Amino acid sequence: MKIKEIIVVEGKDDTAAIKRALDADTIETNGSAINQETIEKIKLAQKTRGVIVFTDPDFPGQKIRNTITNDVPGCKHAFIEKADALHKHGRGVGVEHASPEMIRQALQDAQVMQETYEETITQEDLVTAGLIGGEGAKERREKLGRLLKIGYTNGKQLHKRLMMFQISQRDFAEAIEAIREEEQNA
């Protein structure tokens, strides 16, 4: 499997994991303090081949993702669940620990975040669905992120992420229904 876009990752170990999974080129940010030279490389890559941002499912990874989103509009974003990015001995979390299958799936599911968006899902919808402020809300947000392939986010950022990926009311409702069914059957 060859990917046309250039994949932005955090470091050398992530690049090695990507290369084990498929044929792709990467740009490494070398940590969450992305310098201007790296931003310029990402801008050029976006202009010429397209970019998929694929960072670790942790705070520094989200910081990198936010920086790139602000400086280089139109990039695709791929997400991997924290559970799929854990070191086999529990020491650390990152793309480098994911299986080749999980990496390929995350890259296949990559989506573009929209800069301007129409509100189809309200803050009230999130509260009604039990995604904000209540018992089990975090677990439901994790499940929702997995089902909609938008990654996990905290309660404050969930609404923005749903809007940025233009998740439809229908897709949202179907995901919530699947989560409720899973909870009832547990």
Side-chain angles (χ1 to χ4, degrees), residues 87-156:
H87 185 277
K88 60 186 167 194
H89 299 298
R91 293 180 301 229
V93 62
V95 169
E96 72 267 22
H97 303 304
S99 70
E101 296 79 28
M102 293 309 294
I103 289 171
R104 285 190 291 270
Q105 187 61 55
L107 292 169
Q108 276 184 309
D109 293 337
Q111 304 177 56
V112 175
M113 286 188 186
Q114 301 297 320
E115 293 172 55
T116 57
Y117 38 83
E118 177 186 333
E119 182 179 57
T120 56
I121 300 161
T122 66
Q123 201 75 24
E124 188 176 318
D125 292 331
L126 302 181
V127 172
T128 302
L131 296 166
I132 298 175
E135 189 176 326
K138 179 181 179 185
E139 291 77 16
R140 285 187 203 96
R141 287 193 307 275
E142 287 173 348
K143 291 174 186 174
L144 184 74
R146 184 174 57 252
L147 289 170
L148 297 176
K149 302 184 183 345
I150 61 171
Y152 169 76
T153 185
N154 64 32
K156 285 184 175 183

Side-chain angles (χ1 to χ4, degrees), residues 7-37:
I7 303 168
V8 176
V9 295
E10 293 181 45
K12 291 180 178 123
D13 292 340
D14 297 329
T15 293
I18 298 287
K19 301 273 187 202
R20 283 192 299 273
L22 46 84
D23 185 10
D25 298 315
T26 62
I27 294 173
E28 297 167 3
T29 65
N30 297 312
S32 58
I34 305 175
N35 63 34
Q36 194 56 41
E37 182 182 338

Side-chain angles (χ1 to χ4, degrees), residues 14 24 33-34 42-43 50 78 81 83 85 101-102 114 116 125 134 139 162 164 166 170 176 184:
D14 297 329
I34 305 175
I42 296 169
K43 284 180 179 177
E81 293 295 312
E101 296 79 28
M102 293 309 294
Q114 301 297 320
T116 57
D125 292 331
E139 291 77 16
L162 290 167
M164 289 175 77
Q166 288 292 277
R170 186 173 141 243
I176 293 302
Q184 288 174 350

